[in-house]
Amino acid sequence: MSSDELADAVIIGAGISGMYQLHKLRDELGLSVKVFEGGSGVGGTWYWNRYPGARFDSESYSYGYSFSEELLQEWEWKEHFSPQPDNLKYLEFVADKFNLRPNIEFNTRVVSAHYNDDDNFWTVETDKGRSFRCKFLITAVGVLSTPFVPDIPGLDNFKRDSWHTANWPKDNVKFEGKKVGVIGTGATAVQLIPEVAKTVGELTVFQRTANFCKPIGNRLISDAEQIEIKKNYPKIFQRCKETFGSFLADFEKKSAFDASPEEREARYEELWNEPGFGFWLGTYEDILTDAKANETQAEFVRKKIRSRVKDPAVAEMLCPKGHPFGTKRVPLENGYYEVYNRPNVELVDIKATPIEQVHATGLKTAEKDYEFDILILATGFDTVTGSLDRIDIRGIGGTSLKEKWADGPKTYLGMGSSGFPNMFTVVGPHNGATFCNIPRCIEQNVEWVSDCIKYMNENRIARIDPNRDAEDKWTTHVQEAAAGTLFPEADSWFMGANIPGKKRQMYLYAGGSPLYREKCDQVAGNHYEGYTLRK
Ligand code: NA7
């Protein structure tokens, strides 16, 4: 193995974060940059998640990159909530436009990154047996990028087609006449199931926890809307900077109890019929902090479910009861509930009748045996920290990041951790991307990191490392921000509660995007207060 390949910066991942970070560092700061990417192409989330029905849950024109006016004017979104094939085309278009591919090594995963205190360089090793040395290490590994496959007895025994949704085959999968099983009913399954149901022979959905879902309200963008969108980009992105989740919608400055029950119902109805997340993050401001206020909206959703699902017993199974509304990212659906009115679709409550064993041709629950041609795992991700945990990252004195974070991540601003100098975790744990329109947070992070590196180079600073006390303060603040909300009550991926054995705590910042940006700007404006800078 040769150890003499050098770059100013190594970026891990060529998704939305890694692509923009490469552009900033190479084209604006003039650094030499090497990017490693596990996929055979760019796009990250939108490269891997090819399952039918995959699409944005943000309005397309609020989701794309905002940094290039030329790009904004050149690219035309076709739908208000753009589907995966178009999203991947968009990211490929960006890669071509900014000539990003020459710096990206595809089909290559980083297995380790070790910091050397003597010369202040990181040594990065890949699964292809190559090693690179670099001054800056930037992880752009994504929040939802390590698929989680649960430990269901006998899962390896299944001999027919089976995939996790994030490893969906590139070939067109056909469901006609097939018996299909889907395990999981999160946001992914809620997008997938109506698509499968269109042509399937028989569909069985195994549900552990019902979700509060809301109609997406997607439609094509008309020519007139296209003109308006292109004209209004500055306003759209300004709005995203000001809202809690960087979406177009934002909370009303009003309690649910400032309205009468009739007014509340009318407002919920209005928001329900609007496209997107207004029903979640554009409702009364105490919905996510006051259990009683929350219940008014939760019950509104249950009524909607009961009105759409014909069999009352199935409707009850689909009505979420164990967690407050909106404490999980709300799946946006298109005909999801009506799927259960079809005679060839069965919903199985696996809390009542658990899966006992998967076998070669299907699975057995406590009640019944099922045969499948295709078994789909829509079982989510080891979110936020999962992809970092899979890389052997070691800082000063050989300290392992995974071990340091065994009891939960410890970060400063979600962008770095003390003892890991010159390492930046773009959209890492404790970041402002929580309930967020993620690319908005990505751009903020990437720009902050780029400014920081520029500052270091201009001031001949060799090394930047978060101070332990600043890190402790931020880490405590992240948990305190969540403690004031209802989020800790749900077994969600926000809380790490979807992965057995993972520390149960808030993994992202619940204080809202504007507060997060303000804090980051303040730190940078005060010459990176909370960090130790060394010449
Ligand atoms: P989620 O939201 O984590 O959903 C995963 C689903 O898989 C959920 O219904 C889980 O049930 C289910 N699951 C997980 N483990 C098991 C086991 N062992 N047995 C049965 N069912 C299981 O992931 P998604 O991919 O749907 O969505 C992730 C994000 O992507 C989403 O928030 C959007 O931002 C886009 P549970 O609810 O844990 O009982």
Side-chain angles (χ1 to χ4, degrees):
M1 183 182 296
S2 75
S3 193
D4 46 15
E5 291 183 82
L6 270 172
D8 292 321
V10 162
I11 300 171
I12 311 176
I16 297 174
S17 313
M19 289 168 67
Y20 184 36
Q21 190 69 75
L22 164 60
H23 171 60
K24 286 291 281 186
L25 297 186
R26 186 193 65 182
D27 303 333
E28 289 184 18
L29 300 193
L31 303 190
S32 61
V33 185
K34 187 80 193 172
V35 183
F36 295 106
E37 164 57 47
S40 65
V42 295
T45 291
W46 300 107
Y47 171 92
W48 294 103
N49 288 272
R50 296 164 187 266
Y51 62 85
R55 64 175 67 245
F56 292 157
D57 58 10
S58 319
E59 287 78 0
S60 311
Y61 29 89
S62 75
Y63 187 98
Y65 290 114
S66 74
F67 68 86
S68 160
E69 182 56 25
E70 211 177 273
L71 173 63
L72 289 168
Q73 295 307 319
E74 274 172 11
W75 181 260
E76 305 216 322
W77 295 107
K78 294 196 197 96
E79 300 181 37
H80 283 266
F81 297 85
S82 181
Q84 180 271 338
D86 289 356
N87 307 342
L88 187 55
K89 272 187 214 137
Y90 167 72
L91 292 166
E92 286 168 348
F93 178 81
V94 173
D96 289 338
K97 182 172 173 63
F98 296 98
N99 192 29
L100 299 179
R101 289 190 179 84
N103 292 65
I104 307 174
E105 206 162 307
F106 292 104
N107 300 305
T108 305
R109 288 190 180 274
V110 169
V111 291
S112 68
H114 293 182
Y115 173 75
N116 186 337
D117 207 12
D118 299 332
D119 62 8
N120 198 33
F121 268 84
W122 284 89
T123 301
V124 175
E125 295 194 350
T126 72
D127 61 357
K128 296 283 163 24
R130 289 178 65 196
S131 100
F132 265 80
R133 279 160 36 87
C134 60
K135 183 170 169 191
F136 299 106
L137 175 70
I138 297 156
T139 67
V141 295
V143 179
L144 296 146
S145 46
T146 295
F148 168 62
V149 175
D151 193 13
I152 300 173
L155 200 52
D156 291 342
N157 295 339
F158 189 72
K159 290 288 175 283
R160 297 177 178 169
D161 289 337
S162 181
W163 323 275
H164 188 283
T165 46
N167 289 317
W168 199 266
K170 284 187 182 168
D171 312 332
N172 192 9
V173 177
K174 294 255 185 292
F175 301 110
E176 278 88 350
K178 301 251 169 82
K179 289 185 182 174
V180 177
V182 177
I183 302 179
T185 51
T188 297
V190 166
Q191 288 188 330
L192 169 78
I193 285 167
E195 293 302 313
V196 177
K198 280 179 185 164
T199 54
V200 77
E202 283 174 32
L203 172 64
T204 312
V205 178
F206 296 93
Q207 172 184 275
R208 192 166 67 178
T209 312
N211 257 309
F212 292 99
C213 311
K214 185 243 160 226
I216 189 166
N218 183 39
R219 56 185 175 79
L220 295 176
I221 293 174
S222 69
D223 291 347
E225 283 172 333
Q226 195 72 256
I227 293 167
E228 276 305 293
I229 289 165
K230 288 194 180 180
K231 212 165 71 190
N232 281 320
Y233 269 127
K235 277 192 202 150
I236 291 171
F237 293 121
Q238 184 54 36
R239 168 82 180 150
C240 291
K241 278 190 176 153
E242 291 162 3
T243 61
F244 177 83
S246 301
F247 291 103
L248 295 176
D250 205 9
F251 292 109
E252 284 180 48
K253 300 266 164 276
K254 194 170 164 182
S255 158
F257 298 113
D258 289 340
S260 69
E262 296 72 28
E263 282 166 348
R264 247 187 343 251
E265 285 295 295
R267 184 65 186 133
Y268 291 151
E269 186 65 37
E270 198 174 39
L271 289 168
W272 181 261
N273 293 318
E274 275 176 13
F277 274 149
F279 189 78
W280 180 32
L281 299 174
T283 176
Y284 299 111
E285 65 178 355
D286 51 354
I287 286 300
L288 296 175
T289 52
D290 180 320
K292 282 198 177 125
N294 187 286
E295 183 53 23
T296 64
Q297 198 162 343
E299 194 48 29
F300 178 90
V301 182
R302 291 186 203 111
K303 270 193 252 164
K304 286 287 181 195
I305 297 171
R306 289 178 189 124
S307 74
R308 288 172 61 181
V309 179
K310 288 186 187 140
D311 181 333
V314 176
E316 263 344 276
M317 277 163 72
L318 288 164
C319 284
K321 292 178 189 110
H323 63 277
F325 165 76
T327 48
K328 297 183 178 191
R329 192 164 170 124
V330 174
L332 294 185
E333 52 89 20
N334 182 16
Y336 176 67
Y337 291 112
E338 285 73 13
V339 164
Y340 298 98
N341 295 333
R342 294 176 182 237
N344 61 342
V345 178
E346 184 184 357
L347 179 67
V348 180
D349 175 355
I350 53 171
K351 265 191 185 145
T353 55
I355 299 173
E356 289 184 340
Q357 185 79 30
V358 179
H359 52 74
T361 56
L363 64 80
K364 190 180 170 309
T365 66
E367 198 175 67
K368 200 169 150 185
D369 201 282
Y370 296 85
E371 288 266 324
F372 299 118
D373 301 302
I374 303 175
L375 181 59
I376 299 168
L377 300 170
T379 44
F381 300 86
D382 185 353
T383 52
V384 193
T385 50
S387 297
L388 290 171
D389 282 350
R390 278 155 187 79
I391 304 169
D392 178 27
I393 299 175
R394 290 179 188 268
I396 296 170
T399 302
S400 146
L401 186 70
K402 189 176 173 186
E403 280 167 25
K404 180 182 170 189
W405 287 2
D407 205 27
K410 293 178 179 59
T411 81
Y412 187 36
L413 304 177
M415 282 194 276
S417 196
S418 179
F420 295 80
N422 295 357
M423 179 185 86
F424 299 95
T425 52
V426 172
V427 195
H430 298 174
N431 216 285
T434 325
F435 321 104
C436 187
N437 193 354
I438 294 180
R440 301 283 64 79
C441 183
I442 287 173
E443 280 193 338
Q444 183 271 349
N445 268 204
V446 166
E447 284 160 14
W448 192 95
V449 168
S450 307
D451 287 348
C452 177
I453 291 176
K454 183 165 181 248
Y455 177 91
M456 288 175 71
N457 288 347
E458 282 173 357
N459 293 282
R460 297 180 187 283
I461 290 160
R463 180 177 135 152
I464 187 166
D465 191 15
N467 296 336
R468 192 54 80 94
D469 60 337
E471 171 175 291
D472 287 346
K473 242 168 119 178
W474 179 254
T475 301
T476 305
H477 175 59
V478 167
Q479 298 311 324
E480 282 172 357
T485 71
L486 299 172
F487 286 105
E489 292 186 26
D491 289 337
S492 65
W493 64 261
F494 296 156
M495 298 299 300
N498 62 325
I499 303 296
K502 194 164 175 173
K503 173 84 177 174
R504 195 183 204 289
Q505 56 172 224
M506 180 51 97
Y507 280 74
L508 293 154
Y509 181 52
S513 299
L515 220 60
Y516 177 74
R517 280 171 185 275
E518 198 183 303
K519 176 70 183 167
C520 292
D521 289 348
Q522 182 198 321
V523 167
N526 290 333
H527 304 283
Y528 299 93
E529 67 180 356
Y531 285 90
T532 297
L533 308 178
R534 213 170 74 181
K535 296 252 179 192

